[in-house]
Amino acid sequence: MRRIKLIIEYDGTNYNGSQIQTNGHTIQEELQQCIERLTGEKVSVLFAGRTDTGVHALRQVVAFDTGSTIPPERWQYALNSVLPDDIKVLQSTEAEAGFHPRFDAVSKTYRYKIYRKPWGQTFWRNYAYLCTEELDVEAMGQAARRLEGTHDFRSFCASGSSVKNFERTVLSCRLVEAEPFLYLDITANGFLYNMVRIIMGTLLEVGRGSLAPEDMDRILTARDRSLAGPTAPPQGLYLMEVHYPEKQPLGK
Amino acid sequence: MRRIKLIIEYDGTNYNGSQIQTNGHTIQEELQQCIERLTGEKVSVLFAGRTDTGVHALRQVVAFDTGSTIPPERWQYALNSVLPDDIKVLQSTEAEAGFHPRFDAVSKTYRYKIYRKPWGQTFWRNYAYLCTEELDVEAMGQAARRLEGTHDFRSFCASGSSVKNFERTVLSCRLVEAEPFLYLDITANGFLYNMVRIIMGTLLEVGRGSLAPEDMDRILTARDRSLAGPTAPPQGLYLMEVHYPEKQPLGK
């Protein structure tokens, strides 16, 4: 048996998220079916980050164990020959036996895309949040940077989440203007459920003037979801990159 | 009765082209149904340019006659409230009674988009031709410019076309590098069936070295479809702009 690590991209529009569930078609299900088609093996594919319905990934990291003789670097071509064209393997390599895409990751980067022009929207409706309102981008950028650092992010976590520890370290939270887009780029050691989308929804409130940048401190301290803004829609969200230590930890 | 002129954009992915036909869902059918829903009137919508299955439009021009009291500039909002989100009205105005979007146009501009990177393809599969081969873009640009001017374009027309006159004037035919894209931008007083896609397919042969820029002259002169390259796939093609005389001709 060896463990294969894949870097994959996918257009999440037509999927009910990344993880297998009772109802609906998922990225994990599609990958596992394709691996079974190639090898006859029923495998369980591990993901670095879970993505919701409609959320995209540019460099998601996944892994699985196989007894197949397919050389590690050939898995890319083998899988691409059977995967639908909205999922693509960008790289395949052999990982250490104990490699876990999620637990071994030190941080992940997400981008939230806002499309700001009144034309061209039909082409971005599934790939960005369409917003032509005037926004105070300067204030949004200031608000974003107030989230950097180690905080209790309970206010930015969907209610009903089962996690116990809401403390996360946001390494970078920046707004990037790239006409006709506005990006929120956020890197953290971990993310709570819907965290990026709630941060984006809250920053939009700042952009509209309903909240001031300083309000972010108050919202963080309150640890109360109802004080943050609404959850921005899924189609603007992209898992961009999963970061690992320079050397994979031994053993584990 | 007044004639309403619309500028519309659409994502052609889920349509069987622009023009109503017996089988399949079309842009014209969708527009006509929405107008009927708003006014009760059965209208016939005229198009500036016909687009095939999977072909997109950024500023298509259409027109129709209506007895409705909806003010011309309100048609934009009225239609957008009922149209699906892959068709959008960008502008609505009243046109002269005799205005015809196709016959009054002096020229049209199309863009063909090629996406050249091995990553990000899942997001462009319906919106560009994916091509990671190395291409001699310099030679392609030279070949493109040899098509400018007035020529018989029979070699670049799908066989079986019913037109009699194959002469068209290409006002501009240029290749534009815009990483990770390569664009073919072409403006002409008229286009034959599949003309842009056959030109693109032929320029790709030049890019691969199978044809030289000078071969374009030979292909034009031969007036033989079989000498030109293959028809490039539809999803890379966009109707960009329809050009009218500064003042609409009186009467007509």
Side-chain angles (χ1 to χ4, degrees), chain A residues 77-208:
Chain A
Y77 307 98
L79 277 169
N80 284 337
S81 70
V82 288
L83 280 166
D85 64 0
D86 49 8
I87 305 178
K88 196 165 181 204
V89 179
L90 302 179
Q91 195 187 74
S92 59
T93 49
E94 181 166 3
E96 288 175 64
F99 170 72
H100 193 295
R102 184 165 164 215
F103 300 139
D104 287 354
V106 291
S107 62
K108 291 196 285 279
T109 300
Y110 283 90
R111 168 169 284 181
Y112 196 97
K113 285 192 190 184
I114 299 177
Y115 184 79
R116 303 184 70 195
K117 287 270 179 281
W119 54 88
Q121 294 190 350
T122 58
F123 300 96
W124 289 97
R125 69 194 191 284
N126 295 324
Y127 304 105
Y129 175 53
L130 311 174
C131 178
T132 52
E133 292 167 76
E134 222 177 298
L135 296 171
D136 184 342
V137 176
E138 175 72 23
M140 292 171 77
Q142 286 171 20
R145 296 186 63 166
R146 283 176 181 259
L147 297 175
E148 294 180 346
T150 302
H151 305 284
D152 182 311
F153 281 94
R154 193 178 306 200
S155 295
F156 297 93
C157 177
S159 52
S161 165
S162 61
V163 299
K164 298 276 184 297
N165 177 9
F166 295 89
E167 193 179 279
R168 297 292 182 276
T169 299
V170 171
L171 301 161
S172 171
C173 186
R174 302 291 167 102
L175 229 61
V176 180
E177 288 196 84
E179 283 286 319
F181 297 97
L182 180 63
Y183 298 144
L184 170 66
D185 286 340
I186 180 165
T187 300
N189 69 344
F191 291 87
L192 300 167
Y193 190 54
N194 279 354
M195 182 167 147
V196 182
R197 291 166 56 190
I198 297 171
I199 289 175
M200 188 72 251
T202 308
L203 294 179
L204 282 166
E205 295 291 289
V206 174
R208 291 171 183 128

Side-chain angles (χ1 to χ4, degrees), chain A residues 16-26 28-29 33:
Chain A
N16 291 94
S18 57
Q19 305 310 111
I20 282 197
Q21 44 177 283
T22 333
N23 299 312
H25 186 212
T26 64
Q28 187 187 359
E29 183 190 2
Q33 283 173 354

